[in-house]
Amino acid sequence: MSVALDAALGVAAVGGMLAVGSLALAFADEAAAAAVAGAPLRPRRLLVAPFRRAASALLTATTTTERPDGGGRALAPALLAGLAALAMSMLPLAPGVVPADPSTGFVVFSAAVAFVMIAVFLHGWSPNSTLPLHGAYRFGAVALSFQIPFLLAMLATALPAQSLSLVRIVEAQAPLWNVIREPLGLPIYLIVGLAVGLWGPLNLPDADDLAGGTSAEDSGLARWLWEAARTSMLVAVAALGSAAFLGGYLGPLLPGPVWVALKTALLLAVMAVARHALARARIERFVEVAWVLLVPLALLNVFVSGAFLL
Amino acid sequence: MSDLPVSLAFAAFSAVAVVAGIRVFRTDSMVRAAFYLLASFAAVGAIMVLLGAEFLGMVLILMMAGEMLVMAIVMVMYMMNPAGLNPMVMVHQHRTAIAAGAVAFLALAGVGLAGGVPQRPVTNPGAATGDLGRELLGNSMLVFQTAGVTLLGTMVGAIAIAAPRGRFGDADADSQEPALQPDEEPEA
Amino acid sequence: MTTETVIVVGAALFGIGVYGALSQQSFVMLMMGIELMINGALLVLVAMWSRAAGGSPDGQMLAVVFMTVMAVEMSLGFALITSAYRVKRADITEKLRKLKG
């Protein structure tokens, strides 16, 4: 009985965190858009905007395509949201408080990020339509390029902890946060995070020049669900980034969960600003930068982080 | 962990692994085949986690996600009808293959069921990840390094094989579609 | 979940892989068959480590070597597919006639 109760509580907590984080990201996004455009900030409109979008999605008819892969179309948003929940469930909230602590948390998170490419590819392939398929192949190129820098950036955080468990990775940052110990890690992680969340400058697979890319054929509820799943993934990436690089729940005065929320909000704000302040990267440029620049930098980061342990 | 949930999970994952494995060769689209193969691999990874090899299972799942995407890209580059949903039967020596598969299955399953497997289960499943780490960088470091050098050699070799230009000029110079019938002229 | 049942599952995956590797014309599908064979072998290996070797770390080490083999097989396979396509415009085994005895 208590096992079932614990499981239900954990699921509710993870879902709640993702929902609150997604809402916060939506607000930050609106605010950043207004700020970059130089428009006055209208708080009432800003607070209503996400709900207005959801309501309009619910009222729009869902379209279908000719001979789609129905199962794949239904599975893709669910898979992406599930991966976000899987990653979020390993977020340490306070000393000893974590929904799940597998001894291989690092690998589980990396596998979740690797499966994002399957979810996005499935989402682009299943409508049996040209533009979404183009988006899917774009994400293939992007995802295969960011995998290695991402793994190396995360690997460097596991070195000082001498463990693959995310709880231990946070604990090991008590003397010094990873963002200071390995300053290259967080920027690389954030660049990859933008790509994983199909967000802002790296929103190539769902870009406007492909009429929405992998979601070009989605409308109404289906489109909203996909966007919600994407946002959840971004929130999970920000939350785990705050745990891996910004010390998670560590911090003076305030209780642990508040620090987790503040640090996650900070990373989400950075992402929201990046979306509106930075130009979209060209895909071949990103692939080149990832292999030629990010991989060596990430390797250097691992070496520096290892040198601290000598 | 009690036995019943583990047994149920094992049964479910085994069913997914085998059924998805069969579906790989019983579907019309290569992309679908790749997804089924990934499902099969993910289920095997989950069984490995159930067996206590948490790290190996998760790494298998991680590896296969990337591999499936590479497969998808290779299909787009070279194969006919890559993402298509049209019917596709591309098999040869079908009966022989079925017989060989069945013989392989029966023989191996027979060996497994014949018994003689010692019963020495893992004593401390929680320590498997740490054990592997110490083994990799301890007693088996040479093996680990050899694997790394092998992969490096593979990378160099794969690039050399696939390079568009070699010392004798372009790799695809004068290449043409071969004829499907023995005495035909090649297609232009 | 006994050692025997895991071995049967692994044997089934191996058998399916044998069928795929022998019957498929397309290079990629053929490689999927080989992958399934390695997959079945890996599963049995881990089962042996877990149930018959008392959790000795050497077993996991062997599985890591197996995964290396898998990666080597994949990358060289894809490189050969690329090469075969460049030279012969071949995407199925039937188009490589010179290899036929």
Side-chain angles (χ1 to χ4, degrees):
Chain A
M1 183 60 220
S2 80
V3 174
L5 193 67
D6 280 357
L9 266 178
V11 170
V14 168
M17 287 192 292
L18 283 176
V20 172
S22 302
L23 214 50
L25 179 60
F27 295 147
D29 186 39
E30 294 279 337
V36 170
L41 203 62
R42 281 182 289 185
R44 264 188 63 196
R45 207 178 136 191
L46 187 149
L47 288 178
V48 172
F51 300 102
R52 186 197 297 266
R53 269 207 302 280
S56 115
L58 276 173
L59 293 174
T60 314
T62 305
T63 55
T64 186
T65 52
E66 193 186 337
R67 296 198 66 206
D69 187 294
R73 270 194 110 180
L75 179 62
L79 179 59
L80 190 57
L83 293 172
L86 174 68
M88 203 68 173
S89 70
M90 295 179 302
L91 177 71
L93 295 170
V97 182
V98 57
D101 177 28
S103 70
T104 51
F106 162 81
V107 190
V108 177
F109 179 46
S110 307
V113 167
F115 258 72
V116 169
M117 50 189 181
I118 302 301
V120 176
F121 189 84
L122 191 60
H123 185 245
W125 170 78
S126 55
N128 194 18
S129 167
T130 311
L131 291 176
L133 191 62
H134 275 269
Y137 289 139
R138 278 186 179 189
F139 194 69
V142 170
L144 288 176
S145 312
F146 73 53
Q147 249 343 282
I148 307 289
F150 169 79
L151 282 172
L152 288 174
M154 282 297 287
L155 188 67
T157 67
L159 279 181
Q162 307 197 358
S163 166
L164 297 175
S165 148
L166 288 169
V167 171
R168 296 281 300 280
I169 288 178
V170 172
E171 281 168 2
Q173 296 178 66
L176 189 61
W177 291 0
N178 279 338
V179 68
I180 304 165
R181 180 155 35 193
E182 35 197 76
L184 288 170
L186 186 60
I188 294 174
Y189 180 88
L190 279 179
I191 292 172
V192 174
L194 292 175
V196 170
L198 309 181
W199 185 259
L202 294 175
N203 183 20
L204 297 154
D206 277 7
D208 291 338
D209 63 331
L210 288 181
T214 67
S215 32
E217 298 285 356
D218 290 348
S219 66
L221 188 59
R223 185 166 206 143
W224 185 80
L225 282 176
W226 177 248
E227 271 170 21
R230 264 172 46 181
T231 320
S232 306
M233 196 65 218
L234 209 56
V235 171
V237 166
L240 289 192
S242 77
F245 294 98
L246 297 178
Y249 56 72
L250 299 170
L253 297 174
L254 296 170
V258 179
W259 276 115
V260 173
L262 283 178
K263 289 167 181 172
T264 307
L266 173 71
L267 290 187
L268 284 177
V270 170
M271 287 173 166
V273 171
R275 176 182 187 180
H276 295 285
L278 299 179
R280 175 173 295 133
R282 285 212 328 267
I283 194 150
E284 68 272 28
R285 183 72 56 80
F286 175 76
V287 169
E288 197 175 337
V289 166
W291 285 106
V292 176
L293 193 65
L294 293 189
V295 170
L297 283 182
L299 272 175
L300 183 70
N301 189 39
V302 173
F303 294 148
V304 169
S305 161
F308 269 92
L309 298 173
L310 292 178
Chain B
M1 216 188 294
S2 62
D3 272 350
L4 184 65
V6 174
S7 299
L8 287 179
F10 170 68
F13 287 132
S14 307
V16 172
V18 173
V19 172
I22 294 172
R23 296 279 301 177
V24 169
F25 304 111
R26 282 278 165 276
T27 183
D28 285 342
S29 146
M30 283 191 199
V31 174
R32 254 187 218 149
F35 282 133
Y36 280 123
L37 186 61
L38 180 61
S40 178
F41 271 104
V44 168
I47 296 175
M48 283 157 82
V49 173
L50 287 182
L51 284 166
E54 207 179 312
F55 179 79
L56 293 173
M58 290 316 298
V59 165
L60 183 72
I61 293 175
L62 167 66
M63 248 174 76
M64 286 308 131
E67 185 183 322
M68 285 308 111
L69 207 65
V70 175
M71 278 199 170
I73 286 178
V74 166
M75 284 172 209
V76 182
M77 290 200 299
Y78 307 130
M79 302 292 143
M80 62 180 236
N81 187 20
L85 297 167
N86 297 330
M88 174 192 81
V89 179
M90 293 173 69
V91 290
H92 47 206
Q93 51 188 10
H94 201 221
R95 294 227 177 96
T96 322
I98 291 178
V103 168
F105 166 62
L106 290 175
L108 291 173
V111 169
L113 291 177
V117 181
Q119 292 293 326
R120 280 194 293 142
V122 172
T123 40
N124 185 6
T129 307
D131 279 354
L132 177 60
R134 274 180 284 274
E135 180 75 15
L136 280 176
L137 298 177
N139 287 337
S140 297
M141 193 167 202
L142 188 62
V143 181
F144 188 41
Q145 290 297 324
T146 311
V149 173
T150 308
L151 285 176
L152 180 67
T154 305
M155 267 152 60
V156 175
I159 292 170
I161 293 173
R165 264 194 304 277
R167 52 202 278 221
F168 303 115
D170 288 347
D172 56 356
D174 297 330
S175 66
Q176 54 185 351
E177 192 101 356
L180 280 177
Q181 299 304 321
D183 299 326
E184 249 174 35
E185 284 295 303
E187 299 161 31
Chain C
M1 183 170 60
T2 62
T3 322
E4 284 77 17
T5 48
V6 185
I7 291 176
V8 170
V9 174
L13 289 172
F14 192 91
I16 299 167
V18 168
Y19 160 73
L22 289 180
S23 72
Q24 298 296 313
Q25 294 182 311
S26 165
F27 291 135
V28 173
M29 299 296 289
L30 195 155
M31 276 177 69
M32 289 189 188
I34 298 175
E35 290 283 298
L36 271 173
M37 285 157 74
I38 301 182
N39 200 14
L42 188 63
L43 180 61
V44 173
L45 179 62
V46 170
M48 287 297 193
W49 163 80
S50 165
R51 293 301 154 102
S56 145
D58 309 21
Q60 288 200 75
M61 192 60 225
L62 191 55
V64 170
V65 173
F66 245 72
M67 287 185 178
T68 315
V69 171
M70 226 164 173
V72 170
E73 177 259 322
M74 281 289 297
S75 47
L76 284 182
F78 284 133
L80 286 171
I81 290 176
T82 304
S83 177
Y85 183 80
R86 280 196 211 282
V87 177
K88 297 277 181 192
R89 298 273 172 243
D91 65 345
I92 57 172
T93 50
E94 266 71 5
K95 288 188 177 175
L96 295 179
R97 299 198 162 274
K98 281 209 174 151
L99 286 177
K100 201 170 174 183

